[in-house]
Amino acid sequence: MAAKGSHSHVKLEGEIERCRAEGHWGQLRHLAQQLLPLARPPRKVAAAGGAQDAEDYGSMLLAEALLEECLKEKFAKLKDSIPLTEKNEPKLSEAKQYLTNILSRGKLRPKYMTEAMLILGKLHYVEGSYRDAISMYARAGIDDLSTKDEPLYMLRLVTEAFVIKGLSLERSTNSIASRARLCEREEEVMACFETACFIAQVYLQELEKTLNNTHSRSIKGSNVTYSEFELSYFLEAALQSAYVTHLKKGNIVKGMRSLREILRTVETKSTQTFKMTAAKQLAQVLLHSLSEDCYWSPLSDLLPEFMNKEDQSYVSNLCRRPELYTEENAYCPQDNVEEALLLLLISESMANRDAVISRAPDQQDDRAISLRDASAVYDLLSITLGRRGQYVMLSECLERAMKFAFDEFHLWYQLALSMVACGKSAYAVSVLKECAKLRPTDPTVPLLAAKVCIGSLHWLEEGEYFAKMVIDLGEDAGESLAKGYLALGLTYSLQATDATLKGTQDELNKKALQTLERARDLAPEDHQIILYLSLQLALVRQISDAIEHLQEALQLCKDDLNSLHLLALLFSAQKHYQHALDVINMAVVEYPESFSLLFTKVKLEWIHKGPEEALVTCRHMLQMWQMVYNVLQHSGSEKGSSVTETPVIKKHNGLHLTLPDAHDADSGSQRASSLAASRLEQAMSEITMQSSAMKQGPMQLWTALEQIWLQAAELFMEQQHLKEASFCIQEAASLFPTSHAVLYMRGKLAEMKGNLEEARQLYDEALTVNPAGVEIMHSLGVSPPSIAVKCVTQETVLYNPKQNYSDPLSLLEGRTFGMLTCCHRTGLVLSRLERRDLAQKVLRDAIRIQTTSHRAWNSLGEVLQAQGKNEAAIECFLTALDLESSSPVIPFTVIPREL
């Protein structure tokens, strides 16, 4: 019988320790009541002089259970540091009575007496009696307590004791007048917090091992699974108080060290949510408070200038150390942005895994918390990935967030912005439509959608729809109303450019002018609106009015690139070529890397000074291109150790960026033939793949290089240096062999050589390659938003390779001029081949494409004259003469029309 009783007692002790360690306070109350005499009220315990040690031990356990249940019920007050009172909390009052009686009798064994003091110290803290809590912990001697070989519940008690002592010291510093004493108190607080953090991690790691073992054996009476264990308020405070205090005081180095040490400890299920928060906070510190020059990796030593800021550890040797992840084969970030990105990607993965997506009313609070945490992570991801230009990765991350972003405008709008930034323009418009439904009164959403439709997609009907959405808001649109009219005016202007019927063109141009004038009335100080009003006047050949309005725009913004460029074109339309050159040279000084300005400069020099002068600028453009290319390569190699947007792709080998010497009889042919042959073979192999993945850098950069070579070829042909021109065309063909521009220039070269039939075939190919090119590129898997841009860049003569290498609108505008030129050249060849009826048809098609082309009108007059239709020819010549008097060196459409 004695053996049976002893076994029962040991089992009871084991159950009590397990309940105290795992936080099963209801079960602990049941066990504690077994140790108390029946029907003895707590207030009469002190009167019982012969109380047994077991009775006091049971009272202590019951007091602990009552206190913990009270704290769990009043978690919100505890979190807000609102003291609890005995009057309003019966459980708190009963627990305090038990503990006071136990300590007043002093009959418990020293070990349990220390435990009772630790519990009473916690009770004093929640009552707001901070000095009493500090005194109780001093009486318990927690600074000398060892946590080695102690049971789990004791680790929890000691953890809570240290963090409560630190919090109590923080709240009682106002009475200290001496600065030296205040510094000592701050060091004592940090010692408490760091000790609590270490012991808390050890406790949680050991608790997980115990729970895994006990639950795997399915011990009888264990109804709680480990997944239900949650961190208490004081355990969570123990984990985060150290680094939070460091950061609040501006000790960035110590705060980062604390956060990194926490994240390097072996994770437990109960700390997963906390570690997500810690990772997010460390990412914030890395992004906001640490520059790249001051960064040190997690596995390296501190920088020398930070050594004096890193004091010795406050943690006593009596404390056990938590287990850390091994450093073997561990990946180590190279800079603060990369470390922040890795932390945030981990946090994002955890946020998605734990997301609450149920729309049930009882889960509304949990859903709000889940959304708040996820939104914070995605906001930081936007900042981090934005620094590296990794908008594709950002859009992919935000797409994963859509599963719990129902009716959440912020995440939808972030997704739309990321898609705009990474070039997924069509998808961005779809997302913006959803954003407009969520916020129908916000004018910025349809305005951004109109910007994307007008700019990168050239979806003019959709752009008109979104612009009218802004206008329909009326005064509620505020300052965006003028931008809405601007967007609508640009849409009408672009529709007029695309229209094929003159009546339609005239009507749309009139609507564009009226709408832009309305925008100007609403925002008379907006230089962009005045610029586009001037451009629209230039497009309808009201040159004098255009210059007058442009002067107003330049007074508001003297160094605007597009305004200076348009001014030069307007001067050239008035045949003031020297003035135009002066303006272009002034603009080039401000924007030396603008290929658009340099191409216009080449045209002006060609007309005003001759091809020799223009070739010098072409050589300068090649040097400028090489410099831009090297900068892009260098920036890419610097980020090679980090996460970069551009994958490892094939580079263009053997760039030959030197124009042939026109006076060297042996230059170009022999070297160019082998070089062009190898490059042509390489370029043709690229057609079978995604060309955008075969060249390093933006596709616009390579398009600019192609156009430089073709411009040089045209200048050499003007000088009758056909061998050098052929070399330049071969260089361009090595980049884009099926390009409309290359085919056109090859046809022109063949025409100059007298091979009229070959020239006609090449011009025909240039006219027909565009639709075939779309289908080919689509079948190769180019993403929808970039198909049109890719086809245009490869198949048109581009006179506006802008500094912004991702502007497809100017390419689409350049297509009209390219097709027009090709039609014009085809008509001339057909006329020379005595096929005048067909030549007349082709030239009329050219005029239908652009009614303001004086060259097409003049060529049509020549064909009609040859056919004996003199009256019609005279009308064509007069129209050509009138149009030529206001024609710029390059069409006004090279000025990008965008918001």
Side-chain angles (χ1 to χ4, degrees), residues 130-139 165 168-169 172 185:
Y130 304 127
R131 292 192 177 186
D132 292 341
I134 295 171
S135 300
M136 189 57 63
Y137 288 137
R139 181 178 170 186
K165 179 183 177 182
S168 299
L169 289 170
S172 59
R185 177 63 63 87

Side-chain angles (χ1 to χ4, degrees), residues 845-893:
D845 288 341
I847 292 173
R848 181 174 52 83
I849 292 172
Q850 187 173 350
T851 59
T852 57
S853 173
H854 64 279
R855 290 184 299 171
W857 280 104
N858 186 72
S859 299
L860 179 59
E862 292 177 356
V863 172
L864 292 172
Q865 184 182 18
Q867 291 177 320
K869 302 175 182 179
N870 294 327
E871 291 184 3
I874 290 174
E875 287 193 13
C876 290
F877 290 142
L878 291 174
T879 302
L881 187 62
D882 181 59
L883 291 173
E884 194 276 337
S885 64
S886 59
S887 295
V889 292
I890 290 178
F892 292 116
T893 52

Side-chain angles (χ1 to χ4, degrees), residues 678-750:
S678 63
R679 293 192 186 174
L680 182 62
E681 181 180 352
Q682 174 187 351
M684 292 304 295
S685 66
E686 291 177 10
I687 297 176
T688 62
M689 309 178 192
Q690 294 186 17
S691 296
S692 59
M694 295 298 295
K695 297 182 177 68
Q696 186 83 357
M699 186 55 60
Q700 278 283 75
L701 184 63
W702 296 99
T703 304
L705 180 60
E706 176 203 25
Q707 295 309 310
I708 294 171
W709 286 119
L710 294 179
Q711 183 65 78
E714 197 170 9
L715 292 170
F716 279 126
M717 282 189 281
E718 178 70 15
Q719 296 176 308
Q720 299 298 319
H721 297 150
L722 303 186
K723 183 187 297 184
E724 290 76 13
S726 177
F727 169 84
C728 293
I729 294 172
Q730 288 172 342
E731 288 291 323
S734 69
L735 298 170
F736 302 110
T738 60
S739 164
H740 168 276
V742 171
L743 292 172
Y744 161 73
M745 203 61 67
R746 287 175 59 194
K748 188 174 180 180
L749 181 63

